Amino acid sequence: MGAKVESSHKIPKVVNDLQSLKTQKPKKILNFSSTASLKVCSFLPLFSQRFFIFHAVWDIGMKEMKPVRLLAILLVVVVATLQVEKASSHGYHPLSRIAIHRATFALEEPAYIQASPSVLGLRGQNTEWVKLEFGTENPKIDDWIGVFSPANFSASTCPEENPRVFPPFLCSAPIKFQYANYSTPGYKDTGKGFLKLQLINQRLEFSFALFSGGLLNPKVVAVSNHVAFANPDAPVYPRIAQGKEWNEMTVTWTSGYGLNDAEPFVEWGPRGETTRSPAVTLTFDRRSLCGAPARTVGWRDPGFIHTSFLKELWPNRQYTYKLGHRLFNGTYIWSRTYQFRASPYPGQNSLQRIVIFGDMGKDEADGSNEYNNFQPGSLNTTKQLIRDLKNIDIVFHIGDICYANGYLSQWDQFTAQVEPIASTVPYMIASGNHERDWPGTGSFYQNMDSGGECGVLAENMFYVPTENRAKFWYKTDYGMFRFCIADTEHDWREGTEQYKFIEHCLASVDRQKQPWLIFLAHRVLGYSSDFYYAEEGSFAEPMGRESLQKLWQKYKVDIGIYGHVHNYERTCPIYQNICTDEEKRHYKGSLNGTIHVVAGGAGASLSTFTAIQTKWSIFKDYDHGFVKLTAFDHSNLLFEYKKSRDGQVYDSFRISRDYRDILACTADSCPSTTLAS
């Protein structure tokens, strides 16, 4: 969700940065009487807006106020800016906290930072821990360590395109950071510390820098030796997805090998048999992106993204595969071996288990990027899915994938985090505001939530069986299920291209073979008791239900599931704000309406509910979690909501019915009849 949820930013650290600023003689850098200055301020990241406001208040206050009164006003400003942020966004990316454009090199001779080991992945690992030892004669409580890749981040690497008047000394934000005293509480007294950080193979070398001056006035005082993986170009982080046909599986991965370096392929087959399928290769450059930080400090070379299409699979059969690159000198580069189970054919009567959630994001196992604790539930959700993977057949991540927000390195880190899941079961995604939205690029919402990515990363990093990836809506069949996935970042209203797709997807399914019809979307187009939606008076995305509810009713959609709002909520079967069934746990026969579920609590900071009690809301939970659908056969479906912290079921219901119950006439879904016999 790009707005209207609670923030988890920590006021004490913001205050600490302010206190570090107070030790310096500030310059007046913003004239609030200037309309132009205000316009500039409105387009800056939030940390810069705060920085300008604090400076202005401090500058005026030093001349006209007593220190005690000035301090009180500064505290009010801190709280006020946090409240503005709470109202406008659930979180800016942690890396946007760093005023990287203000960074300077101030290398100190006694200061040092040493990283070991210098070569990683000697046994083929793509993830490894690095130990840092560092020291300085002038330690401060707000000193921090930045991880950089490429390792060379000097001024000579600055791109020509830069939106600022004065180019920064550092042109790339760190891929992550941590405070120097994180593992060494006595760092401020001794000036010495150590830190363990987890690195993944991201194709390029790494270096580490010790910064003084906090996050708002960063000064590089020491730079480490370089660290690299033994083969930084190796094929990594496979993610499989269903193809356009039920018996096709796609394998997408990332490497450092372009088509001028090697031929990519997948070697695969059932046990005892192998064949090879070639892969297509894609990449993109800054010009493919739409704005900062994606085009500027957040840019990082994405490497090469390969996709292979494994076709004519036997239903439910187990296959093994491995990623390969044939270099032009005749040698081969291989990944380790993975396995997956092919999808059932449409209508197949077998046990089928589906996991659905939105807004998971990513988190760091080493505790880095902890400054605003942005996606605290992400690792718990990931761990629960890995723990129960043998009982999961396919996953739907319905938007707000990793919250990179224009910091491209985060996409590699996300694909590494979900690799145990995405390499084993189809990992299907939907587009959210943090993947797509950017002004003037055709997105339905003209905000800046994607950080300048404007859909490019989501469209390339994961395969989805769309007709046009820029239009991120699609259908996919899984046995007894039909899934219609909408793209809420493009117009869905009646008369649009997407509306026609949604109706065709719902209308074209054979409910005798596929009785379970599920509608998925990122923003809440159904019902939600989220605080912001209640304030709007819509209890959903404004304009969300107006066009679509008649389609859900006409084609008897069983369940609509959404992300965007970071909590869990389930409604009764409902149509036009009226519950069509008073049952809460075991629905028998026709539902006469659609059950709507918000499942956007997979990781990102949680959203508050309104105090208004609605008749249609059956169960709410202010916690991180995900939902699971289990189809036992054509007549019995189990729905479960599980918390990410323990994997236990906290809400559930069953649907039991026969085909004639689907055919039964309900309000606004009755076919025409005649009295003729």
mmCIF file of all heavy atoms in Angstrom, residues 487-515:
data_model
loop_
_atom_site.group_PDB
_atom_site.id
_atom_site.type_symbol
_atom_site.label_atom_id
_atom_site.label_comp_id
_atom_site.label_asym_id
_atom_site.label_seq_id
_atom_site.Cartn_x
_atom_site.Cartn_y
_atom_site.Cartn_z
ATOM 1 N N ASP A 487 -5.201 -5.843 -12.494
ATOM 2 C CA ASP A 487 -4.117 -4.866 -12.317
ATOM 3 C C ASP A 487 -4.751 -3.562 -11.850
ATOM 4 O O ASP A 487 -5.266 -2.787 -12.660
ATOM 5 C CB ASP A 487 -3.362 -4.681 -13.632
ATOM 6 C CG ASP A 487 -2.257 -3.632 -13.540
ATOM 7 O OD1 ASP A 487 -2.055 -3.058 -12.453
ATOM 8 O OD2 ASP A 487 -1.605 -3.378 -14.574
ATOM 9 N N THR A 488 -4.716 -3.310 -10.539
ATOM 10 C CA THR A 488 -5.396 -2.124 -10.011
ATOM 11 C C THR A 488 -4.649 -0.830 -10.299
ATOM 12 O O THR A 488 -5.171 0.247 -10.010
ATOM 13 C CB THR A 488 -5.602 -2.244 -8.488
ATOM 14 O OG1 THR A 488 -4.332 -2.451 -7.844
ATOM 15 C CG2 THR A 488 -6.527 -3.403 -8.160
ATOM 16 N N GLU A 489 -3.454 -0.923 -10.871
ATOM 17 C CA GLU A 489 -2.710 0.301 -11.215
ATOM 18 C C GLU A 489 -3.044 0.770 -12.622
ATOM 19 O O GLU A 489 -2.451 1.731 -13.117
ATOM 20 C CB GLU A 489 -1.214 0.071 -11.047
ATOM 21 C CG GLU A 489 -0.842 -0.524 -9.691
ATOM 22 C CD GLU A 489 -1.613 0.091 -8.520
ATOM 23 O OE1 GLU A 489 -1.494 1.311 -8.309
ATOM 24 O OE2 GLU A 489 -2.331 -0.648 -7.818
ATOM 25 N N HIS A 490 -3.981 0.073 -13.266
ATOM 26 C CA HIS A 490 -4.582 0.526 -14.520
ATOM 27 C C HIS A 490 -6.102 0.522 -14.355
ATOM 28 O O HIS A 490 -6.640 -0.228 -13.530
ATOM 29 C CB HIS A 490 -4.177 -0.369 -15.697
ATOM 30 C CG HIS A 490 -2.762 -0.182 -16.139
ATOM 31 N ND1 HIS A 490 -1.715 -0.920 -15.640
ATOM 32 C CD2 HIS A 490 -2.210 0.677 -17.029
ATOM 33 C CE1 HIS A 490 -0.585 -0.526 -16.208
ATOM 34 N NE2 HIS A 490 -0.857 0.437 -17.058
ATOM 35 N N ASP A 491 -6.763 1.330 -15.129
ATOM 36 C CA ASP A 491 -8.208 1.517 -14.990
ATOM 37 C C ASP A 491 -8.949 0.198 -15.210
ATOM 38 O O ASP A 491 -8.727 -0.493 -16.202
ATOM 39 C CB ASP A 491 -8.671 2.577 -15.999
ATOM 40 C CG ASP A 491 -10.062 3.126 -15.699
ATOM 41 O OD1 ASP A 491 -10.755 2.564 -14.816
ATOM 42 O OD2 ASP A 491 -10.453 4.114 -16.339
ATOM 43 N N TRP A 492 -9.822 -0.139 -14.264
ATOM 44 C CA TRP A 492 -10.596 -1.375 -14.342
ATOM 45 C C TRP A 492 -12.081 -1.116 -14.589
ATOM 46 O O TRP A 492 -12.870 -2.051 -14.657
ATOM 47 C CB TRP A 492 -10.458 -2.138 -13.017
ATOM 48 C CG TRP A 492 -11.022 -1.356 -11.853
ATOM 49 C CD1 TRP A 492 -12.333 -1.276 -11.471
ATOM 50 C CD2 TRP A 492 -10.302 -0.503 -10.965
ATOM 51 N NE1 TRP A 492 -12.476 -0.431 -10.403
ATOM 52 C CE2 TRP A 492 -11.236 0.061 -10.067
ATOM 53 C CE3 TRP A 492 -8.954 -0.154 -10.830
ATOM 54 C CZ2 TRP A 492 -10.874 0.945 -9.060
ATOM 55 C CZ3 TRP A 492 -8.593 0.728 -9.822
ATOM 56 C CH2 TRP A 492 -9.537 1.264 -8.957
ATOM 57 N N ARG A 493 -12.472 0.135 -14.725
ATOM 58 C CA ARG A 493 -13.894 0.463 -14.759
ATOM 59 C C ARG A 493 -14.550 0.023 -16.070
ATOM 60 O O ARG A 493 -13.890 -0.257 -17.058
ATOM 61 C CB ARG A 493 -14.071 1.970 -14.537
ATOM 62 C CG ARG A 493 -13.661 2.412 -13.129
ATOM 63 C CD ARG A 493 -13.672 3.916 -12.978
ATOM 64 N NE ARG A 493 -12.714 4.550 -13.870
ATOM 65 C CZ ARG A 493 -12.579 5.867 -14.006
ATOM 66 N NH1 ARG A 493 -13.351 6.676 -13.298
ATOM 67 N NH2 ARG A 493 -11.684 6.366 -14.838
ATOM 68 N N GLU A 494 -15.867 -0.004 -16.018
ATOM 69 C CA GLU A 494 -16.648 -0.490 -17.141
ATOM 70 C C GLU A 494 -16.303 0.279 -18.418
ATOM 71 O O GLU A 494 -16.182 1.504 -18.406
ATOM 72 C CB GLU A 494 -18.152 -0.360 -16.842
ATOM 73 C CG GLU A 494 -19.036 -1.059 -17.857
ATOM 74 C CD GLU A 494 -20.469 -1.192 -17.384
ATOM 75 O OE1 GLU A 494 -20.794 -0.685 -16.288
ATOM 76 O OE2 GLU A 494 -21.267 -1.808 -18.109
ATOM 77 N N GLY A 495 -16.138 -0.463 -19.513
ATOM 78 C CA GLY A 495 -15.795 0.140 -20.793
ATOM 79 C C GLY A 495 -14.317 0.103 -21.109
ATOM 80 O O GLY A 495 -13.921 0.350 -22.249
ATOM 81 N N THR A 496 -13.472 -0.208 -20.103
ATOM 82 C CA THR A 496 -12.033 -0.242 -20.342
ATOM 83 C C THR A 496 -11.602 -1.610 -20.867
ATOM 84 O O THR A 496 -12.336 -2.603 -20.776
ATOM 85 C CB THR A 496 -11.256 0.059 -19.049
ATOM 86 O OG1 THR A 496 -11.544 -0.988 -18.088
ATOM 87 C CG2 THR A 496 -11.656 1.397 -18.477
ATOM 88 N N GLU A 497 -10.394 -1.655 -21.383
ATOM 89 C CA GLU A 497 -9.827 -2.916 -21.877
ATOM 90 C C GLU A 497 -9.724 -3.931 -20.752
ATOM 91 O O GLU A 497 -10.012 -5.122 -20.938
ATOM 92 C CB GLU A 497 -8.443 -2.645 -22.474
ATOM 93 C CG GLU A 497 -7.757 -3.872 -23.045
ATOM 94 C CD GLU A 497 -6.375 -3.574 -23.589
ATOM 95 O OE1 GLU A 497 -5.953 -2.390 -23.548
ATOM 96 O OE2 GLU A 497 -5.706 -4.523 -24.040
ATOM 97 N N GLN A 498 -9.349 -3.477 -19.568
ATOM 98 C CA GLN A 498 -9.207 -4.417 -18.454
ATOM 99 C C GLN A 498 -10.563 -4.963 -18.009
ATOM 100 O O GLN A 498 -10.679 -6.147 -17.663
ATOM 101 C CB GLN A 498 -8.492 -3.778 -17.259
ATOM 102 C CG GLN A 498 -8.316 -4.767 -16.120
ATOM 103 C CD GLN A 498 -7.402 -4.308 -15.009
ATOM 104 O OE1 GLN A 498 -6.972 -5.110 -14.189
ATOM 105 N NE2 GLN A 498 -7.085 -3.039 -14.965
ATOM 106 N N TYR A 499 -11.570 -4.133 -18.004
ATOM 107 C CA TYR A 499 -12.904 -4.594 -17.621
ATOM 108 C C TYR A 499 -13.353 -5.736 -18.544
ATOM 109 O O TYR A 499 -13.902 -6.740 -18.089
ATOM 110 C CB TYR A 499 -13.897 -3.434 -17.683
ATOM 111 C CG TYR A 499 -15.304 -3.792 -17.274
ATOM 112 C CD1 TYR A 499 -15.716 -3.677 -15.953
ATOM 113 C CD2 TYR A 499 -16.236 -4.234 -18.215
ATOM 114 C CE1 TYR A 499 -17.011 -3.998 -15.569
ATOM 115 C CE2 TYR A 499 -17.535 -4.554 -17.852
ATOM 116 C CZ TYR A 499 -17.919 -4.436 -16.529
ATOM 117 O OH TYR A 499 -19.203 -4.756 -16.155
ATOM 118 N N LYS A 500 -13.093 -5.565 -19.835
ATOM 119 C CA LYS A 500 -13.469 -6.611 -20.796
ATOM 120 C C LYS A 500 -12.702 -7.904 -20.517
ATOM 121 O O LYS A 500 -13.252 -9.004 -20.618
ATOM 122 C CB LYS A 500 -13.205 -6.124 -22.222
ATOM 123 C CG LYS A 500 -14.087 -4.954 -22.636
ATOM 124 C CD LYS A 500 -13.690 -4.415 -24.006
ATOM 125 C CE LYS A 500 -14.525 -3.198 -24.375
ATOM 126 N NZ LYS A 500 -14.098 -2.599 -25.666
ATOM 127 N N PHE A 501 -11.416 -7.756 -20.140
ATOM 128 C CA PHE A 501 -10.645 -8.947 -19.786
ATOM 129 C C PHE A 501 -11.241 -9.638 -18.562
ATOM 130 O O PHE A 501 -11.391 -10.873 -18.542
ATOM 131 C CB PHE A 501 -9.186 -8.587 -19.491
ATOM 132 C CG PHE A 501 -8.521 -9.579 -18.582
ATOM 133 C CD1 PHE A 501 -8.085 -10.801 -19.068
ATOM 134 C CD2 PHE A 501 -8.394 -9.327 -17.215
ATOM 135 C CE1 PHE A 501 -7.513 -11.742 -18.223
ATOM 136 C CE2 PHE A 501 -7.827 -10.260 -16.364
ATOM 137 C CZ PHE A 501 -7.385 -11.469 -16.868
ATOM 138 N N ILE A 502 -11.560 -8.862 -17.522
ATOM 139 C CA ILE A 502 -12.096 -9.449 -16.294
ATOM 140 C C ILE A 502 -13.380 -10.216 -16.584
ATOM 141 O O ILE A 502 -13.561 -11.355 -16.137
ATOM 142 C CB ILE A 502 -12.324 -8.359 -15.225
ATOM 143 C CG1 ILE A 502 -10.982 -7.768 -14.775
ATOM 144 C CG2 ILE A 502 -13.085 -8.923 -14.026
ATOM 145 C CD1 ILE A 502 -11.111 -6.544 -13.882
ATOM 146 N N GLU A 503 -14.271 -9.602 -17.368
ATOM 147 C CA GLU A 503 -15.527 -10.286 -17.667
ATOM 148 C C GLU A 503 -15.270 -11.566 -18.458
ATOM 149 O O GLU A 503 -15.881 -12.612 -18.186
ATOM 150 C CB GLU A 503 -16.493 -9.382 -18.418
ATOM 151 C CG GLU A 503 -17.804 -10.090 -18.747
ATOM 152 C CD GLU A 503 -18.947 -9.166 -19.081
ATOM 153 O OE1 GLU A 503 -18.681 -8.033 -19.550
ATOM 154 O OE2 GLU A 503 -20.108 -9.585 -18.884
ATOM 155 N N HIS A 504 -14.374 -11.515 -19.421
ATOM 156 C CA HIS A 504 -14.093 -12.713 -20.214
ATOM 157 C C HIS A 504 -13.480 -13.806 -19.347
ATOM 158 O O HIS A 504 -13.810 -14.994 -19.494
ATOM 159 C CB HIS A 504 -13.152 -12.376 -21.373
ATOM 160 C CG HIS A 504 -12.840 -13.562 -22.239
ATOM 161 N ND1 HIS A 504 -11.705 -14.327 -22.056
ATOM 162 C CD2 HIS A 504 -13.523 -14.142 -23.266
ATOM 163 C CE1 HIS A 504 -11.696 -15.301 -22.947
ATOM 164 N NE2 HIS A 504 -12.782 -15.212 -23.687
ATOM 165 N N CYS A 505 -12.587 -13.423 -18.437
ATOM 166 C CA CYS A 505 -11.955 -14.403 -17.552
ATOM 167 C C CYS A 505 -12.996 -15.099 -16.688
ATOM 168 O O CYS A 505 -12.985 -16.325 -16.533
ATOM 169 C CB CYS A 505 -10.912 -13.718 -16.671
ATOM 170 S SG CYS A 505 -10.035 -14.850 -15.556
ATOM 171 N N LEU A 506 -13.930 -14.317 -16.136
ATOM 172 C CA LEU A 506 -14.965 -14.890 -15.278
ATOM 173 C C LEU A 506 -15.969 -15.713 -16.078
ATOM 174 O O LEU A 506 -16.445 -16.755 -15.620
ATOM 175 C CB LEU A 506 -15.690 -13.780 -14.516
ATOM 176 C CG LEU A 506 -14.839 -12.899 -13.591
ATOM 177 C CD1 LEU A 506 -15.691 -11.799 -12.977
ATOM 178 C CD2 LEU A 506 -14.170 -13.734 -12.507
ATOM 179 N N ALA A 507 -16.299 -15.243 -17.270
ATOM 180 C CA ALA A 507 -17.359 -15.885 -18.056
ATOM 181 C C ALA A 507 -16.898 -17.159 -18.746
ATOM 182 O O ALA A 507 -17.719 -18.037 -19.044
ATOM 183 C CB ALA A 507 -17.886 -14.898 -19.103
ATOM 184 N N SER A 508 -15.600 -17.289 -19.009
ATOM 185 C CA SER A 508 -15.118 -18.379 -19.858
ATOM 186 C C SER A 508 -14.784 -19.658 -19.093
ATOM 187 O O SER A 508 -14.430 -20.666 -19.704
ATOM 188 C CB SER A 508 -13.881 -17.919 -20.636
ATOM 189 O OG SER A 508 -12.839 -17.546 -19.740
ATOM 190 N N VAL A 509 -14.879 -19.640 -17.781
ATOM 191 C CA VAL A 509 -14.520 -20.827 -17.012
ATOM 192 C C VAL A 509 -15.670 -21.828 -17.007
ATOM 193 O O VAL A 509 -16.846 -21.458 -16.921
ATOM 194 C CB VAL A 509 -14.127 -20.443 -15.561
ATOM 195 C CG1 VAL A 509 -15.281 -19.767 -14.837
ATOM 196 C CG2 VAL A 509 -13.647 -21.658 -14.785
ATOM 197 N N ASP A 510 -15.338 -23.104 -17.101
ATOM 198 C CA ASP A 510 -16.311 -24.189 -17.026
ATOM 199 C C ASP A 510 -16.442 -24.577 -15.552
ATOM 200 O O ASP A 510 -15.585 -25.276 -14.997
ATOM 201 C CB ASP A 510 -15.819 -25.371 -17.859
ATOM 202 C CG ASP A 510 -16.807 -26.539 -17.863
ATOM 203 O OD1 ASP A 510 -17.720 -26.570 -17.007
ATOM 204 O OD2 ASP A 510 -16.648 -27.444 -18.711
ATOM 205 N N ARG A 511 -17.523 -24.133 -14.894
ATOM 206 C CA ARG A 511 -17.654 -24.328 -13.452
ATOM 207 C C ARG A 511 -17.919 -25.786 -13.064
ATOM 208 O O ARG A 511 -17.788 -26.134 -11.890
ATOM 209 C CB ARG A 511 -18.761 -23.422 -12.890
ATOM 210 C CG ARG A 511 -18.513 -21.942 -13.057
ATOM 211 C CD ARG A 511 -17.264 -21.465 -12.320
ATOM 212 N NE ARG A 511 -17.394 -21.477 -10.880
ATOM 213 C CZ ARG A 511 -17.933 -20.503 -10.144
ATOM 214 N NH1 ARG A 511 -18.439 -19.428 -10.750
ATOM 215 N NH2 ARG A 511 -17.965 -20.583 -8.830
ATOM 216 N N GLN A 512 -18.296 -26.608 -14.013
ATOM 217 C CA GLN A 512 -18.425 -28.023 -13.690
ATOM 218 C C GLN A 512 -17.047 -28.632 -13.444
ATOM 219 O O GLN A 512 -16.871 -29.458 -12.548
ATOM 220 C CB GLN A 512 -19.140 -28.766 -14.818
ATOM 221 C CG GLN A 512 -19.358 -30.249 -14.503
ATOM 222 C CD GLN A 512 -20.015 -30.996 -15.650
ATOM 223 O OE1 GLN A 512 -20.217 -30.441 -16.717
ATOM 224 N NE2 GLN A 512 -20.342 -32.260 -15.424
ATOM 225 N N LYS A 513 -16.061 -28.186 -14.234
ATOM 226 C CA LYS A 513 -14.700 -28.698 -14.089
ATOM 227 C C LYS A 513 -13.888 -27.872 -13.083
ATOM 228 O O LYS A 513 -13.049 -28.413 -12.362
ATOM 229 C CB LYS A 513 -13.994 -28.684 -15.446
ATOM 230 C CG LYS A 513 -14.616 -29.620 -16.476
ATOM 231 C CD LYS A 513 -13.883 -29.525 -17.806
ATOM 232 C CE LYS A 513 -14.486 -30.468 -18.834
ATOM 233 N NZ LYS A 513 -13.816 -30.342 -20.159
ATOM 234 N N GLN A 514 -14.118 -26.559 -13.087
ATOM 235 C CA GLN A 514 -13.374 -25.665 -12.193
ATOM 236 C C GLN A 514 -14.372 -24.873 -11.343
ATOM 237 O O GLN A 514 -14.684 -23.726 -11.649
ATOM 238 C CB GLN A 514 -12.476 -24.731 -13.009
ATOM 239 C CG GLN A 514 -11.364 -25.480 -13.753
ATOM 240 C CD GLN A 514 -10.561 -24.557 -14.645
ATOM 241 O OE1 GLN A 514 -11.008 -24.183 -15.732
ATOM 242 N NE2 GLN A 514 -9.388 -24.170 -14.175
ATOM 243 N N PRO A 515 -14.855 -25.495 -10.280
ATOM 244 C CA PRO A 515 -15.907 -24.854 -9.488
ATOM 245 C C PRO A 515 -15.435 -23.676 -8.655
ATOM 246 O O PRO A 515 -16.249 -22.852 -8.247
ATOM 247 C CB PRO A 515 -16.384 -25.992 -8.583
ATOM 248 C CG PRO A 515 -15.190 -26.894 -8.457
ATOM 249 C CD PRO A 515 -14.511 -26.831 -9.782
#
